[in-house]
Amino acid sequence: MPDLPHQVRPRLAAIAALGLLAFGCGAARVILDLPPPPARPPAVPTAARAPVPGTAVAAMDSTDSLSVRPALERTLDPDSILALLPRDAIGHADWAEALRRGLFHPRAGIHGRRYSPGEAPRFGYDFFYHGPDTSFDAWFPHSVHAEVIDCRQCHGPIVQYRDQKISMSEVLDGEYCGRCHGKVAFPVITGCKRCHVRGPFPEAGGSAELLGTIVLARAPGDSGISRGVVMDSLPRARFPHWVHRIRYQCRTCHMQLFVPRAGANTIRMADIQGGRACGACHDGNTAFRAGFGNCERCHAPS
């Protein structure tokens, strides 16, 4: 507003107020000589907005738009998953490369939060371990493991933080790297080239498969009747580890819900229905409710 005698200002303010009431903000702006408001950007339709890391997303069995999920989350068909996953030089499904390419975004929490690199421990270092000669030097991509695995899952129960001596015979016997590799990650028996990148090993021979489906043993004391269903009449529960690794980081379940070792967890239907173990997610909101009406989702014939 230009400089005016102080006696005139109240009158102009009153006129502007009347103009605002009668004709809206446009009239008051002209009277008071105010600049026009900045142009408002056009609204973006909800369906066109890209998902933002850290925000809520559709649950596994939600009826929300599938377009917000990575392609690997849009199917539960094993053949379709294998068709989407890259292969390593040996022929195995390469989950580490899929993570690097952003083909899937495992969640950091169990209630719908997307994985965000800023939320995870960042340790961007990889290592070469010396072998008997350089052909047998082993490459360990620690950075990839640190993206999804809690430090405590490996350091302490499996390996020391420093100067751990690991023999190939122990790995093949299921210790150290063998705790996961051959069970939920590429098998060591045919995956030599993934670690021993300088060695004279063949770059073929591995097959792409989705490792980690577990047929659970019947828990002691869990053979009674649950909501009218005789537990012994159902097939043993099957757990497809690969379905969950697409959607969640390893640290989401391990170590908070499960110890990552066969036979170390006892899971009963009473625990699940009480919101523990599998029931932490399978509550009808985050994922399908584990219980009567969905028995066949887990208790399926082999």
Side-chain angles (χ1 to χ4, degrees):
M1 184 183 294
D3 291 335
L4 294 171
H6 67 276
Q7 298 92 342
V8 179
R9 289 176 179 266
R11 297 177 185 177
L12 285 179
I15 295 171
L18 291 174
L20 178 63
L21 292 173
F23 303 105
C25 295
R29 188 174 298 111
V30 171
I31 293 170
L32 296 177
D33 192 23
L34 299 176
R40 181 174 297 177
V44 179
T46 301
R49 295 174 185 165
V52 178
T55 60
V57 295
M60 192 188 309
D61 288 331
S62 172
T63 57
D64 292 343
S65 171
L66 295 177
S67 63
V68 300
R69 308 184 210 165
L72 283 170
E73 286 196 35
R74 299 179 204 168
T75 178
L76 294 175
D77 176 61
D79 292 334
S80 299
I81 296 294
L82 286 172
L84 291 167
L85 287 171
R87 303 283 192 273
D88 61 18
I90 305 161
H92 297 135
D94 195 336
W95 290 94
E97 181 61 23
L99 186 63
R100 291 189 194 99
R101 295 185 192 178
L103 299 182
F104 68 116
H105 302 283
R107 299 161 178 81
I110 62 174
H111 295 296
R113 289 192 304 121
R114 280 282 186 202
Y115 161 74
S116 172
E119 297 175 0
R122 304 295 291 169
F123 191 93
Y125 299 96
D126 301 324
F127 303 99
F128 261 108
Y129 292 97
H130 296 296
D133 59 63
T134 56
S135 296
F136 290 91
D137 286 350
W139 177 62
F140 176 62
H142 188 282
S143 57
V144 174
H145 292 73
E147 291 285 346
V148 294
I149 299 176
D150 191 304
C151 304
R152 297 168 298 173
Q153 185 174 334
C154 296
H155 291 297
I158 301 176
V159 295
Q160 302 172 17
Y161 276 92
R162 292 178 179 272
D163 303 321
Q164 181 71 64
K165 303 297 182 183
I166 299 174
S167 69
M168 200 65 222
S169 61
E170 291 172 312
V171 173
L172 291 171
D173 285 340
E175 295 302 323
Y176 301 116
C177 311
R179 289 282 191 98
C180 291
H181 285 281
K183 302 177 178 67
V184 296
F186 69 85
V188 293
I189 195 66
T190 57
C192 307
K193 200 70 174 178
R194 285 288 291 271
C195 301
H196 302 287
V197 294
R198 296 170 176 167
F201 303 105
E203 294 189 354
S207 60
E209 55 183 320
L210 297 174
L211 299 170
T213 296
I214 303 168
V215 180
L216 302 178
R218 187 83 68 187
D222 204 28
S223 59
I225 299 176
S226 177
R227 299 195 179 189
V229 177
V230 179
M231 299 299 296
D232 283 338
S233 68
L234 298 174
R236 290 161 59 187
R238 296 170 61 84
F239 174 73
H241 190 278
W242 57 270
V243 173
H244 297 76
R245 77 178 298 176
I246 291 171
R247 292 160 176 80
Y248 296 97
Q249 296 176 11
C250 307
R251 68 175 120 244
T252 304
C253 297
H254 306 300
M255 310 277 284
Q256 298 179 59
L257 300 176
F258 305 105
V259 176
R261 188 165 192 173
N265 304 279
T266 299
I267 305 170
R268 296 182 173 85
M269 277 307 302
D271 298 323
I272 296 173
Q273 292 172 348
R276 298 178 295 277
C278 312
C281 284
H282 288 280
D283 55 4
N285 294 315
T286 304
F288 70 86
R289 181 179 295 280
F292 185 75
N294 285 317
C295 304
E296 74 285 354
R297 298 289 296 267
C298 299
H299 296 277
S302 300

